[in-house]
Amino acid sequence: MEEEKKKIDAEKEKKKKEEEKQKKNKEAKPKSPKKKIERKTIIAGRGDSTSICFSFETGPLKGTIEAIDGEITIGRSADNDLVIDDQTISGKHCKVTFENGQYFLTDLESTNGTSVNGEKISKIALSAGQTVELGKVKINVQ
């Protein structure tokens, strides 16, 4: 009789451990995906007039177009809004701001500087058709 009781207790303990294991598996949180940068396609003459796009001509983002909507920081460091993993880009290279209905590009005292249409800048208003150079990375403003 006592042997049967031990056997029943062992089965109960085994079942309890299995239930706890299943509960832990249900409670485990899935890993969150990396933050995605929203990309927009803007057809000329349509869309939000308060946004611009950066079309990357060289560098690790070559061939991509990034919609710039509001204020962002750009640099090699992971805590930037737009990360460009290139050795000629500073950790905090520059920022884009929106002031009085106009976008501005400001260099953040980067090592290799920021140029627009071949001229080094500290701050400049951005407009379509300009070529921005961050280190050796060329970007067309659209």
Side-chain angles (χ1 to χ4, degrees):
M1 187 94 135
E2 229 172 277
E3 232 176 87
E4 284 180 34
K5 188 176 180 184
K6 285 181 184 179
K7 193 175 182 182
I8 292 171
D9 288 342
E11 285 179 20
K12 284 181 182 180
E13 187 67 30
K14 185 178 177 182
K15 189 175 181 179
K16 186 177 178 182
K17 284 182 182 180
E18 285 178 23
E19 287 174 354
E20 286 176 7
K21 187 176 179 181
Q22 287 177 351
K23 187 177 179 181
K24 282 183 184 179
N25 287 339
K26 285 181 183 180
E27 290 175 355
K29 293 181 181 178
K31 290 183 179 179
S32 61
K34 288 186 177 182
K35 181 182 173 185
K36 290 185 178 182
I37 297 175
E38 182 181 329
R39 300 175 199 264
K40 295 180 183 178
T41 301
I42 299 175
I43 299 169
R46 298 178 187 210
D48 188 354
S49 63
T50 61
S51 67
I52 59 173
C53 291
F54 282 174
S55 175
F56 288 84
E57 299 302 312
T58 63
L61 298 177
K62 180 180 178 177
T64 64
I65 297 174
E66 296 290 337
I68 309 301
D69 196 15
E71 187 169 316
I72 66 164
T73 58
I74 302 170
R76 194 174 70 241
S77 178
D79 63 340
N80 287 289
D81 300 305
L82 179 54
V83 177
I84 304 173
D85 189 16
D86 184 277
Q87 291 301 310
T88 63
I89 304 290
S90 293
K92 288 276 189 193
H93 197 96
C94 62
K95 68 178 179 177
V96 176
T97 56
F98 189 72
E99 304 166 24
N100 300 319
Q102 175 71 50
Y103 280 94
F104 287 87
L105 180 66
T106 304
D107 183 75
L108 299 175
E109 298 180 7
S110 61
T111 302
N112 293 313
T114 300
S115 298
V116 175
N117 296 336
E119 305 235 353
K120 290 257 186 193
I121 61 101
S122 57
K123 183 175 181 176
I124 192 169
L126 288 175
S127 59
Q130 291 175 317
T131 299
V132 174
E133 290 179 62
L134 309 178
K136 292 186 178 179
V137 177
K138 287 188 179 182
I139 305 164
N140 288 327
V141 180
Q142 300 178 341

